[in-house]
Amino acid sequence: MEGNSADFLRDTVDIALVVPFSGPAGIYGPSCESCAELAIADINAGPGLLGRQVRLVPVDGSRAPAEVAAEIAALINLGVIDAVTGWHISPVRKAIARVTANRVPYVYGPLYEGGERTPGLFLTGETPSGQLLPAMDWMKSEYGIDRWVVIGNDYVWPRETGSAARMHARANGQPLVGEMYFPLGTDDFSTAIRHVERSEATGVLLLLVGGDGVTFNRQFAATGLGAAVPRLSPHVEENMLMASGVESTQGLFASAGYFEALNTTASMDFARHYYSRFGPAAPALNSIGESCYEALTLFVTLVSRAGSLDIVAMTGAAADLTYTSPRGDVRMCGNQMSQDIYIAEAMGLDFEVRDRIFAA
């Protein structure tokens, strides 16, 4: 049986798009919405999905997880959505997953901590083992950085990612020299910056979201540490560079499955497509916005291959699935996408890609 009885009553496929409209992660919202809109336009320019047009139902993902999940549950119960997607932090994902499980498909776009097994939940984002840990090794190989401090927000993704970094560093004989976690919305990182100085850390693993990362970058650079102690983040993207300002990005590195600066045919074609639709003043094209396009691409690919919105059929369709996206050639391993990772260095307000880490 398909996700809800409304599949037989409506002539559209309706997808809840959960993205942040405010708060520290609100900086990502416009890029997410634009990339999702582009994906829908591409779908509807052809035959649609299962012979139907596709529509997005915006949902504010910046609210408390229980509040977001309650709205999703209400939309499912009313029979007005067929699926859920978007970019939102892990506590929101966990709350939503409890109400979508075995009811409607849910395709989650962001990087996350790994280990998600909810039935009907498919994930396109990077996980620490393939993203952050190899980037740590690269930073050691290229720059000799082996005394890391983790500075992150205080919720599941930074905590679990910090734990993975801790175990990785210890296994390599160079334990972390500190871990510090701060509530979302923190505006004073002086204690963290003092710890970087006192610990004689040679690198910072930056696990702060959106506006919090921007605030840290500005305060860190103001102390003069920016050039002396490199920062590595799996989360920094083009919006954060612009908001941080050119004087705050020296020594800032990022690892991700996508950058606008990728010099690949797939990436350059996607950028041309994006700016031809939205113009030169479009919201920044970045890994977080692209993750919404990626999630919708996966959703359409799975449904088309399954011939149905049925979760069991879509799960079967994920087996051995490979396709080409703006990120390049990707494949599904169970419910998780496997992809190459790129390491980039901030050069002013842009990134320059330094290396590629091939998926295992």
Side-chain angles (χ1 to χ4, degrees):
M1 183 176 179
E2 295 192 352
N4 62 67
S5 60
D7 292 338
F8 304 100
L9 303 177
R10 285 180 282 109
D11 59 2
T12 56
V13 175
D14 294 279
I15 306 170
L17 177 70
V18 185
V19 298
F21 296 158
S22 62
I27 191 172
Y28 308 135
S31 297
C32 291
E33 291 182 296
S34 294
C35 287
E37 180 183 325
L38 182 63
I40 295 303
D42 289 347
I43 297 163
N44 290 336
L49 185 61
L50 302 179
R52 295 144 62 181
Q53 293 285 282
V54 180
R55 298 188 304 189
L56 294 174
V57 179
V59 174
D60 182 4
S62 58
R63 296 168 294 165
E67 187 176 348
V68 179
E71 181 173 351
I72 295 297
L75 292 170
I76 295 172
N77 292 337
L78 289 170
V80 297
I81 61 169
D82 302 289
V84 179
T85 191
W87 188 100
H88 37 276
I89 63 175
S90 288
V92 175
R93 183 197 79 244
K94 287 177 172 291
I96 292 174
R98 286 192 286 270
V99 301
T100 61
N102 289 315
R103 299 187 70 193
V104 299
Y106 178 13
V107 184
Y108 186 66
L111 77 167
Y112 83 113
E113 62 278 2
E116 179 63 73
R117 295 290 182 268
T118 300
L121 178 49
F122 307 92
L123 306 107
T124 66
E126 307 93 330
T127 58
S129 62
Q131 180 186 21
L132 182 63
L133 307 189
M136 290 171 64
D137 293 340
W138 185 89
M139 293 290 287
K140 181 176 181 179
S141 172
E142 295 293 317
Y143 298 101
I145 297 171
D146 57 9
R147 289 176 57 83
W148 293 101
V149 170
V150 171
I151 299 174
N153 286 121
D154 191 6
Y155 71 92
V156 61
W157 170 71
R159 288 274 185 181
E160 293 287 337
T161 302
S163 176
R166 183 192 325 122
M167 291 186 287
H168 186 68
R170 185 182 298 132
N172 288 336
Q174 294 290 340
L176 298 178
V177 296
E179 288 181 71
M180 303 183 75
Y181 299 95
F182 297 84
L184 286 163
T186 294
D187 58 11
D188 182 359
F189 291 98
S190 57
T191 57
I193 294 169
R194 283 196 298 270
H195 183 75
V196 173
E197 293 178 301
R198 293 170 181 169
S199 66
E200 299 183 349
T202 56
V204 174
L205 295 176
L206 192 60
L207 307 180
L208 295 170
V209 172
D212 287 10
V214 169
T215 299
F216 178 87
N217 285 335
R218 291 174 176 172
Q219 293 176 7
F220 192 73
T223 68
L225 285 170
V229 184
R231 288 150 288 162
L232 170 63
S233 175
H235 222 293
V236 170
E237 44 68 63
E238 287 78 354
N239 280 306
M240 292 176 67
L241 291 188
M242 289 188 287
S244 295
V246 66
E247 67 282 354
S248 302
T249 62
Q250 185 178 7
L252 182 58
F253 292 79
S255 59
Y258 174 84
F259 291 95
E260 184 183 358
L262 276 181
N263 188 26
T264 63
T265 299
S267 176
M268 291 188 291
D269 286 349
F270 180 62
R272 280 193 293 269
H273 186 36
Y274 180 83
Y275 289 112
S276 68
R277 180 172 182 86
F278 298 110
L285 186 55
N286 52 38
S287 60
I288 290 176
E290 192 277 340
S291 74
C292 291
Y293 187 96
E294 195 75 46
L296 283 161
T297 299
L298 176 60
F299 173 72
V300 169
T301 303
L302 290 174
V303 172
S304 299
R305 198 179 194 196
S308 169
L309 288 162
D310 178 72
I311 287 172
V312 174
M314 289 178 64
T315 300
D320 303 317
L321 175 64
T322 62
Y323 65 94
T324 301
S325 82
R327 300 185 177 207
D329 294 332
V330 299
R331 61 188 175 90
M332 292 299 290
C333 298
N335 67 340
Q336 172 71 54
M337 179 181 288
S338 176
Q339 59 198 287
D340 295 342
I341 298 296
Y342 299 88
I343 300 174
E345 181 179 2
M347 304 299 291
L349 301 182
D350 296 302
F351 281 112
E352 288 188 10
V353 176
R354 297 296 187 217
D355 212 338
R356 179 180 185 177
I357 299 170
F358 291 92

